[in-house]
């Protein structure tokens, strides 16, 4: 909602989990199917289907896990964890090809997008309507606060970089983050990773691409640590403690 | 059954300075109006209506001028 829509790309590129029903076009041996499914874990090749939003060239996608939950006749209920951009319909079809008799995806439900799962935060449309009414008509905030999560919840899957108060406003204006503006860094950041910049109070400032590894961010004397790709916080939320280079600006 | 994003990360400290804490406020301190202007709903989309339709309903229910979604089932913004 509102400015939180700016983090949508960070969710689009995040891993997904689905529960699907795969219908097999013939009788099959469950052990054989399980063995074939194992072959589909890891990197797989997929050509996007005819009706798709992207260019139809073969691409590699990662399948993290496939778990058969239930088998009923020729229907196989399974849970699949995949990289963004993996087509589950195609996956089912391809499993059917290897099995020999063919298969198709009968039903699909997404059960996870990055940090969002089917947990206590999952609400129905009716929950939203009720919570909004209780807030506007009775002035009771408890329910609406359970329904609407802060924007920070949408980037909890990204590695965090905690920055100084003095660096916040410059970042809000799109400046790159220099190492001297950093307080703390989460481990495991590689060059090019999408990272989230936070204030000490836990507010999301911006998203960016890292230009260093975590270790370099804490040990380097100088240099750019993160290039900002998307600013979330409104400029002016924190005071501008950075010096403006007037002369340089005049050139433009 | 976990995704790569489920790895646990440690925290490395570059500088201890806590600062004054004068500026900003923790997300939990935000008003409902502020949450409505920059919040997320992990929505259980019913089968049938499209994500686009559901986003339109949400916008109407919450009287928002801007909303989007990041997936056919949940997480509407």
């Amino acid at each position: 909602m509102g400015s939180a829509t700016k983090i949508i790309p960070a969710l689009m590129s995040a891993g997904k989990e689905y529960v699907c029903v795969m219908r097999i076009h013939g009788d099959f041996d469950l052990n054989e199917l399980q063995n074939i499914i194992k072959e589909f874990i890891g990197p797989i090749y997929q050509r996007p289907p005819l009706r798709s939003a992207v260019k139809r060239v073969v691409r590699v996608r990662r399948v993290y896990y496939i778990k058969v939950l239930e088998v009923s006749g020729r229907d196989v209920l399974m849970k699949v964890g995949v990289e963004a951009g993996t087509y589950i319909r195609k996956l089912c079809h391809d499993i059917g090809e290897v099995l020999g008799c063919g298969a198709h995806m009968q039903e699909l439900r997404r059960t996870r997008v990055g940090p969002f799962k089917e947990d206590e935060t999952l609400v129905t449309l009716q929950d939203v309507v009720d919570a909004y009414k209780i807030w506007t008509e009775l002035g009771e905030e408890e329910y609406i606060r359970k329904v609407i999560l802060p924007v920070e919840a949408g980037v909890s899957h990204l590695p965090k970089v905690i920055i100084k108060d003095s660096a916040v406003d410059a970042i809000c204006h799109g400046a790159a983050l220099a190492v001297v503006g950093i307080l703390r860094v989460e481990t495991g950041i590689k060059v090019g990773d999408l990272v989230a910049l936070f204030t000490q109070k836990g507010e999301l400032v911006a998203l960016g691409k890292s230009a260093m590894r975590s270790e370099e961010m804490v040990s380097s004397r100088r240099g750019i640590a993160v290039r900002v790709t998307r600013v979330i916080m409104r400029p002016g939320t924190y005071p501008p403690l950075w010096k403006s280079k007037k002369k340089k600006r005049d050139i433009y | 059954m976990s995704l790569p994003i489920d790895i646990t990360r440690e925290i490395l400290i570059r500088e201890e300075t806590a600062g004054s804490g004068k500026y900003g406020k923790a997300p939990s301190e935000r008003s409902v109006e502020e949450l409505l202007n920059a919040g997320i709903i992990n929505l259980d989309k019913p089968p049938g209506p499209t994500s686009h339709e559901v986003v339109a309903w949400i916008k109407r229910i919450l009287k928002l001028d801007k909303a989007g979604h990041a997936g056919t089932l949940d997480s509407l913004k």
Side-chain angles (χ1 to χ4, degrees):
Chain A
M1 298 161 358
S3 62
T5 53
K6 291 185 184 174
I7 65 125
I8 291 177
L11 291 172
M12 300 275 232
S13 60
K16 313 283 190 306
E17 182 189 85
Y18 300 86
V19 168
C20 73
V21 174
M22 174 172 65
R23 181 162 294 169
I24 315 276
H25 304 160
D27 295 325
F28 62 96
D29 175 60
L30 185 58
N31 272 328
E32 193 193 348
L33 177 69
Q34 292 277 23
N35 286 331
I36 290 167
I37 281 176
K38 265 186 223 147
E39 296 294 314
F40 280 86
I41 293 167
I44 59 162
Y45 289 105
Q46 274 197 339
R47 184 191 294 275
L50 267 172
R51 288 183 61 175
S52 75
V54 295
K55 199 174 170 200
R56 297 191 60 230
V57 289
V58 176
R59 52 191 199 176
V60 175
R61 282 297 178 269
R62 268 171 204 282
V63 176
Y64 304 118
Y65 53 86
I66 304 178
K67 195 183 177 212
V68 173
L69 302 173
E70 220 181 291
V71 178
S72 167
R74 292 177 176 180
D75 285 346
V76 181
L77 182 71
M78 52 188 198
K79 186 173 262 194
V80 188
V82 294
E83 182 182 355
T86 311
Y87 290 91
I88 305 301
R89 188 178 297 279
K90 196 83 182 163
L91 182 73
C92 290
H93 176 266
D94 292 348
I95 291 172
E97 292 287 296
V98 177
L99 196 58
C101 54
H104 72 272
M105 187 187 77
Q106 184 65 25
E107 265 184 76
L108 181 72
R109 174 171 168 86
R110 189 181 283 178
T111 51
R112 180 171 178 193
V113 181
F116 298 110
K117 310 175 204 162
E118 296 182 302
D119 57 14
E120 68 287 345
T121 67
L122 188 68
V123 295
T124 63
L125 270 171
Q126 191 61 53
D127 291 334
V128 178
V129 173
D130 292 348
Y132 189 72
K133 281 212 154 184
I134 290 169
W135 175 58
T136 51
E137 290 172 19
L138 305 172
E140 174 59 71
E141 293 189 354
E142 191 189 339
Y143 300 101
I144 193 86
R145 282 186 179 279
K146 282 204 177 121
V147 163
I148 305 173
L149 310 172
V151 61
E152 285 78 7
V155 295
S156 59
H157 60 300
L158 300 181
K160 288 182 188 61
V161 176
I162 293 133
I163 65 173
K164 292 179 185 171
D165 287 0
S166 55
V168 174
D169 201 57
I171 300 295
C172 290
H173 283 88
L177 176 69
V179 289
V180 291
I182 295 175
L183 288 173
R184 298 187 291 279
V185 175
E186 282 191 333
T187 52
I189 300 171
K190 302 182 296 297
V191 174
D193 281 356
L194 185 61
V195 301
L197 308 186
F198 279 88
T199 66
Q200 296 177 73
K201 287 195 172 159
E203 305 149 281
L204 177 63
V205 182
L207 303 182
K209 283 247 186 284
S210 69
M212 287 182 180
R213 292 178 298 112
S214 301
E215 294 74 18
E216 293 174 285
M217 289 188 194
V218 293
S219 64
S220 298
R221 301 267 313 268
R222 55 174 67 85
I224 297 299
V226 179
R227 288 180 211 287
V228 171
T229 51
R230 237 171 172 102
V231 176
I232 312 298
M233 186 182 274
R234 222 184 32 217
T237 310
Y238 276 63
L241 300 178
W242 44 297
K243 291 175 213 102
S244 63
K245 286 184 184 139
K246 226 181 168 185
K247 278 207 177 124
K248 217 173 185 180
R249 209 187 283 160
D250 288 341
I251 298 168
Y252 294 101
Chain B
M1 288 193 292
S2 64
L3 300 178
I5 52 172
D6 295 326
I7 57 158
T8 41
R9 296 178 189 271
E10 313 292 322
I11 290 170
L12 303 176
I13 297 172
R14 178 178 175 96
E15 216 176 296
E16 287 285 0
T17 43
S20 58
K22 261 196 302 201
Y23 311 112
K25 67 179 166 188
S28 57
E29 307 283 307
R30 283 179 201 149
S31 66
V32 174
E33 288 82 358
E34 286 173 310
L35 288 172
L36 283 164
N37 284 323
I40 298 177
I41 300 174
N42 186 9
L43 192 80
D44 191 347
K45 185 185 85 63
T50 64
S51 310
H52 193 79
E53 287 167 330
V54 173
V55 168
W57 294 345
I58 288 284
K59 275 165 85 169
R60 214 174 51 217
I61 294 165
L62 300 179
K63 301 180 171 59
L64 301 168
D65 37 295
K66 196 176 175 188
H69 70 89
T72 25
L73 136 131
D74 354 10
S75 73
L76 278 184
K77 255 130 268 96

